[in-house]
Amino acid sequence: MSSLTEENYLKAIYRLSLKVDRKVTPTSIAEEVCVNAASVVDMIRKLTEKKLISYDKVKGAKLTEKGSKLALEIVRNHRLWEVFLVENLGYSWDVVHEIAEQLEHVKHKELADRLDKFLGFPKYDPHGDPIPKSNGDIPPTVKTLLSEIEAGKSCKVIAVKDSSSVFLQYLLQLSVSIGTKIKVLDKVPYDGSLQIQIGKDIKTNVSLKFAESIFVV
Protein backbone atom coordinates (compact mmCIF):
# COMPACT_ATOMS: atom_id res chain seq x y z
CA MET A 1 0.00 0.00 0.00
CA SER A 2 1.41 3.37 -1.01
CA SER A 3 1.07 6.48 1.13
CA LEU A 4 -0.62 9.67 -0.03
CA THR A 5 2.78 11.37 -0.29
CA GLU A 6 4.22 8.54 -2.37
CA GLU A 7 1.25 8.70 -4.72
CA ASN A 8 1.73 12.45 -5.17
CA TYR A 9 5.36 11.84 -6.14
CA LEU A 10 4.37 9.16 -8.66
CA LYS A 11 1.82 11.52 -10.19
CA ALA A 12 4.45 14.28 -10.37
CA ILE A 13 6.96 11.97 -12.08
CA TYR A 14 4.27 10.90 -14.54
CA ARG A 15 3.44 14.53 -15.41
CA LEU A 16 7.11 15.43 -15.81
CA SER A 17 7.74 12.40 -18.01
CA LEU A 18 5.18 13.72 -20.52
CA LYS A 19 7.33 16.77 -21.22
CA VAL A 20 9.37 16.10 -24.36
CA ASP A 21 13.16 15.84 -24.04
CA ARG A 22 13.15 16.56 -20.34
CA LYS A 23 14.97 14.34 -17.86
CA VAL A 24 13.04 13.83 -14.61
CA THR A 25 15.60 15.05 -12.06
CA PRO A 26 15.31 15.44 -8.28
CA THR A 27 15.26 19.21 -8.83
CA SER A 28 12.35 19.06 -11.29
CA ILE A 29 10.45 16.73 -8.95
CA ALA A 30 11.07 19.11 -6.03
CA GLU A 31 9.65 22.00 -8.07
CA GLU A 32 6.61 19.93 -9.10
CA VAL A 33 5.66 18.85 -5.56
CA CYS A 34 6.93 22.04 -3.85
CA VAL A 35 9.43 20.45 -1.44
CA ASN A 36 13.18 20.70 -0.89
CA ALA A 37 15.66 18.55 -2.79
CA ALA A 38 16.66 16.55 0.32
CA SER A 39 13.09 15.27 0.72
CA VAL A 40 13.03 14.19 -2.92
CA VAL A 41 16.25 12.17 -2.61
CA ASP A 42 14.79 10.28 0.35
CA MET A 43 11.51 9.61 -1.49
CA ILE A 44 13.34 8.44 -4.63
CA ARG A 45 15.08 5.85 -2.46
CA LYS A 46 11.77 4.65 -0.98
CA LEU A 47 10.02 4.45 -4.37
CA THR A 48 12.99 2.59 -5.85
CA GLU A 49 12.92 0.07 -3.00
CA LYS A 50 9.21 -0.52 -3.69
CA LYS A 51 10.04 -1.00 -7.38
CA LEU A 52 7.71 1.86 -8.36
CA ILE A 53 10.47 3.81 -10.12
CA SER A 54 13.96 3.26 -11.44
CA TYR A 55 16.54 5.99 -11.00
CA ASP A 56 19.95 6.77 -12.34
CA LYS A 57 21.85 10.05 -12.16
CA VAL A 58 22.31 10.17 -15.94
CA LYS A 59 18.80 9.13 -17.08
CA GLY A 60 16.86 10.50 -14.11
CA ALA A 61 13.72 8.95 -12.59
CA LYS A 62 11.43 6.71 -14.58
CA LEU A 63 8.24 4.93 -13.58
CA THR A 64 8.36 1.14 -13.63
CA GLU A 65 5.41 -0.80 -15.07
CA LYS A 66 4.04 -1.12 -11.53
CA GLY A 67 4.60 2.57 -10.81
CA SER A 68 3.09 3.66 -14.12
CA LYS A 69 -0.06 1.64 -13.46
CA LEU A 70 -0.49 3.23 -10.04
CA ALA A 71 0.22 6.74 -11.36
CA LEU A 72 -2.39 6.34 -14.11
CA GLU A 73 -4.95 5.14 -11.56
CA ILE A 74 -4.38 8.28 -9.49
CA VAL A 75 -4.58 10.54 -12.56
CA ARG A 76 -7.75 8.76 -13.67
CA ASN A 77 -9.35 9.19 -10.25
CA HIS A 78 -8.40 12.86 -10.16
CA ARG A 79 -9.83 13.70 -13.57
CA LEU A 80 -13.03 11.71 -13.07
CA TRP A 81 -13.66 13.52 -9.81
CA GLU A 82 -13.11 16.86 -11.55
CA VAL A 83 -15.80 15.95 -14.10
CA PHE A 84 -18.15 14.90 -11.30
CA LEU A 85 -17.59 18.10 -9.32
CA VAL A 86 -18.26 20.32 -12.34
CA GLU A 87 -21.13 18.42 -13.93
CA ASN A 88 -22.96 17.21 -10.83
CA LEU A 89 -22.12 19.56 -7.98
CA GLY A 90 -21.88 22.82 -9.90
CA TYR A 91 -18.28 23.68 -9.07
CA SER A 92 -16.41 25.92 -11.53
CA TRP A 93 -13.28 24.63 -13.25
CA ASP A 94 -10.96 26.92 -11.30
CA VAL A 95 -11.64 25.29 -7.92
CA VAL A 96 -12.05 21.57 -8.66
CA HIS A 97 -8.34 20.74 -8.85
CA GLU A 98 -7.68 21.20 -5.13
CA ILE A 99 -10.77 19.19 -4.15
CA ALA A 100 -9.89 16.40 -6.58
CA GLU A 101 -6.38 16.33 -5.10
CA GLN A 102 -7.97 14.95 -1.93
CA LEU A 103 -10.58 12.69 -3.53
CA GLU A 104 -8.08 11.02 -5.88
CA HIS A 105 -6.61 9.06 -2.97
CA VAL A 106 -9.88 7.40 -1.92
CA LYS A 107 -9.29 3.67 -2.18
CA HIS A 108 -12.04 1.30 -3.30
CA LYS A 109 -11.71 -1.35 -5.96
CA GLU A 110 -14.82 -0.43 -7.97
CA LEU A 111 -15.20 3.28 -7.21
CA ALA A 112 -13.42 4.69 -10.28
CA ASP A 113 -15.21 2.29 -12.65
CA ARG A 114 -18.60 3.12 -11.15
CA LEU A 115 -17.87 6.83 -11.30
CA ASP A 116 -16.72 6.50 -14.92
CA LYS A 117 -19.96 4.70 -15.84
CA PHE A 118 -22.12 7.19 -13.93
CA LEU A 119 -20.53 10.09 -15.82
CA GLY A 120 -21.06 8.40 -19.20
CA PHE A 121 -17.41 7.41 -19.74
CA PRO A 122 -16.00 10.92 -20.37
CA LYS A 123 -12.79 11.14 -22.40
CA TYR A 124 -11.59 14.49 -21.06
CA ASP A 125 -11.75 16.40 -17.78
CA PRO A 126 -13.06 20.01 -17.44
CA HIS A 127 -9.63 21.37 -18.40
CA GLY A 128 -9.40 19.25 -21.54
CA ASP A 129 -6.92 16.71 -20.15
CA PRO A 130 -7.44 13.10 -21.27
CA ILE A 131 -8.87 10.63 -18.75
CA PRO A 132 -7.04 7.28 -18.71
CA LYS A 133 -9.25 4.22 -19.06
CA SER A 134 -9.22 1.31 -16.61
CA ASN A 135 -6.91 -0.61 -18.98
CA GLY A 136 -4.42 2.28 -19.13
CA ASP A 137 -5.41 3.52 -22.61
CA ILE A 138 -5.36 7.31 -22.94
CA PRO A 139 -7.59 9.25 -25.39
CA PRO A 140 -5.64 11.13 -28.10
CA THR A 141 -4.85 14.80 -27.61
CA VAL A 142 -4.10 17.56 -30.10
CA LYS A 143 -1.34 19.89 -28.93
CA THR A 144 -1.75 23.01 -31.10
CA LEU A 145 -1.34 26.25 -29.16
CA LEU A 146 -3.38 29.38 -29.83
CA SER A 147 -0.07 31.14 -30.48
CA GLU A 148 0.46 28.87 -33.52
CA ILE A 149 -2.77 29.91 -35.25
CA GLU A 150 -2.32 32.33 -38.15
CA ALA A 151 -4.05 35.71 -38.30
CA GLY A 152 -7.45 35.43 -39.95
CA LYS A 153 -7.94 31.81 -38.86
CA SER A 154 -10.56 30.51 -36.41
CA CYS A 155 -10.20 27.71 -33.87
CA LYS A 156 -11.86 26.11 -30.86
CA VAL A 157 -10.49 25.76 -27.31
CA ILE A 158 -9.97 22.09 -26.39
CA ALA A 159 -7.68 22.30 -23.33
CA VAL A 160 -5.61 24.57 -21.15
CA LYS A 161 -1.88 24.19 -20.63
CA ASP A 162 -1.98 26.38 -17.52
CA SER A 163 -4.59 25.06 -15.07
CA SER A 164 -3.78 27.45 -12.22
CA SER A 165 -6.76 29.05 -10.52
CA VAL A 166 -5.55 32.55 -11.48
CA PHE A 167 -5.46 31.73 -15.19
CA LEU A 168 -8.75 29.81 -15.15
CA GLN A 169 -10.47 32.72 -13.40
CA TYR A 170 -9.05 35.06 -16.04
CA LEU A 171 -10.51 32.85 -18.76
CA LEU A 172 -13.89 32.94 -17.04
CA GLN A 173 -13.76 36.74 -17.07
CA LEU A 174 -13.19 36.59 -20.84
CA SER A 175 -15.99 34.00 -21.27
CA VAL A 176 -13.48 31.42 -22.47
CA SER A 177 -13.95 27.73 -21.65
CA ILE A 178 -13.60 24.36 -23.36
CA GLY A 179 -15.41 24.58 -26.69
CA THR A 180 -15.20 28.38 -27.02
CA LYS A 181 -14.57 29.58 -30.57
CA ILE A 182 -11.75 32.07 -31.06
CA LYS A 183 -10.67 33.94 -34.18
CA VAL A 184 -7.18 35.40 -34.41
CA LEU A 185 -7.64 38.88 -35.87
CA ASP A 186 -4.03 40.06 -35.76
CA LYS A 187 -0.61 39.07 -34.43
CA VAL A 188 2.02 41.57 -33.29
CA PRO A 189 5.51 40.51 -34.47
CA TYR A 190 7.25 42.59 -31.79
CA ASP A 191 6.02 40.70 -28.73
CA GLY A 192 3.83 37.91 -30.08
CA SER A 193 0.66 39.37 -28.59
CA LEU A 194 -2.65 38.73 -30.37
CA GLN A 195 -5.87 40.53 -31.09
CA ILE A 196 -8.64 37.94 -30.90
CA GLN A 197 -12.39 37.65 -31.20
CA ILE A 198 -14.06 35.43 -28.61
CA GLY A 199 -17.34 34.01 -29.83
CA LYS A 200 -19.32 36.53 -31.87
CA ASP A 201 -19.00 39.68 -29.80
CA ILE A 202 -15.90 39.99 -27.61
CA LYS A 203 -12.75 41.50 -29.11
CA THR A 204 -9.65 41.86 -26.95
CA ASN A 205 -5.86 41.82 -26.95
CA VAL A 206 -4.01 38.99 -25.21
CA SER A 207 -0.35 38.35 -24.44
CA LEU A 208 1.92 35.70 -25.90
CA LYS A 209 1.87 33.99 -22.49
CA PHE A 210 -1.92 33.75 -22.77
CA ALA A 211 -1.73 32.35 -26.31
CA GLU A 212 0.82 29.75 -25.22
CA SER A 213 -1.41 28.57 -22.39
CA ILE A 214 -4.38 27.36 -24.49
CA PHE A 215 -4.64 24.34 -26.76
CA VAL A 216 -6.93 24.64 -29.77
CA VAL A 217 -8.09 22.71 -32.79
Side-chain angles (χ1 to χ4, degrees):
M1 180 71 73
S2 300
S3 69
L4 184 150
T5 302
E6 289 171 343
E7 291 182 353
N8 284 336
Y9 271 81
L10 291 175
K11 188 174 64 172
I13 293 170
Y14 169 76
R15 286 198 300 258
L16 290 168
S17 70
L18 297 179
K19 298 180 179 180
V20 181
D21 299 328
R22 179 172 180 178
K23 182 170 70 173
V24 182
T25 64
T27 300
S28 64
I29 296 172
E31 292 173 352
E32 188 75 12
V33 295
C34 300
V35 297
N36 59 55
S39 298
V40 173
V41 172
D42 185 50
M43 182 56 72
I44 284 176
R45 178 183 57 78
K46 290 179 180 179
L47 295 176
T48 301
E49 289 175 353
K50 289 190 173 186
K51 303 188 185 307
L52 294 170
I53 69 168
S54 61
Y55 177 74
D56 132 343
K57 291 183 179 179
V58 176
K59 297 181 180 179
K62 184 178 180 180
L63 294 170
T64 62
E65 184 177 345
K66 180 181 177 182
S68 181
K69 181 180 179 182
L70 181 53
L72 282 173
E73 288 176 358
I74 299 164
V75 170
R76 181 183 184 222
N77 290 344
H78 182 101
R79 294 176 181 174
L80 284 172
W81 280 119
E82 286 194 337
V83 176
F84 178 81
L85 291 166
V86 169
E87 293 188 356
N88 295 272
L89 298 185
Y91 283 94
S92 61
W93 69 345
D94 58 308
V95 299
V96 293
H97 178 73
E98 290 186 7
I99 304 173
E101 284 279 307
Q102 302 172 57
L103 292 170
E104 69 186 25
H105 300 288
V106 176
K107 295 288 190 302
H108 191 278
K109 186 178 180 180
E110 299 177 358
L111 181 58
D113 288 339
R114 291 193 178 203
L115 186 58
D116 195 15
K117 182 179 180 180
F118 174 78
L119 294 169
F121 304 103
K123 292 183 178 181
Y124 304 94
D125 73 10
H127 308 115
D129 292 317
I131 300 174
K133 292 296 154 190
S134 57
N135 62 2
D137 288 347
I138 301 175
T141 55
V142 178
K143 296 298 184 182
T144 300
L145 294 168
L146 177 61
S147 58
E148 299 173 46
I149 302 300
E150 297 178 5
K153 300 290 186 180
S154 296
C155 55
K156 180 175 70 174
V157 177
I158 59 167
V160 290
K161 185 176 181 180
D162 180 357
S163 57
S164 65
S165 295
V166 174
F167 183 61
L168 295 176
Q169 288 167 9
Y170 178 44
L171 290 178
L172 287 175
Q173 291 174 12
L174 293 175
S175 298
V176 174
S177 60
I178 303 301
T180 297
K181 292 182 179 180
I182 293 178
K183 182 175 183 179
V184 177
L185 302 176
D186 193 19
K187 303 181 80 169
V188 180
Y190 172 69
D191 60 3
S193 60
L194 283 69
Q195 181 185 32
I196 62 174
Q197 179 176 313
I198 302 168
K200 295 181 179 180
D201 305 314
I202 303 173
K203 291 184 180 180
T204 187
N205 295 317
V206 294
S207 66
L208 176 61
K209 181 178 180 181
F210 177 99
E212 291 180 337
S213 299
I214 295 179
F215 290 117
V216 298
V217 65

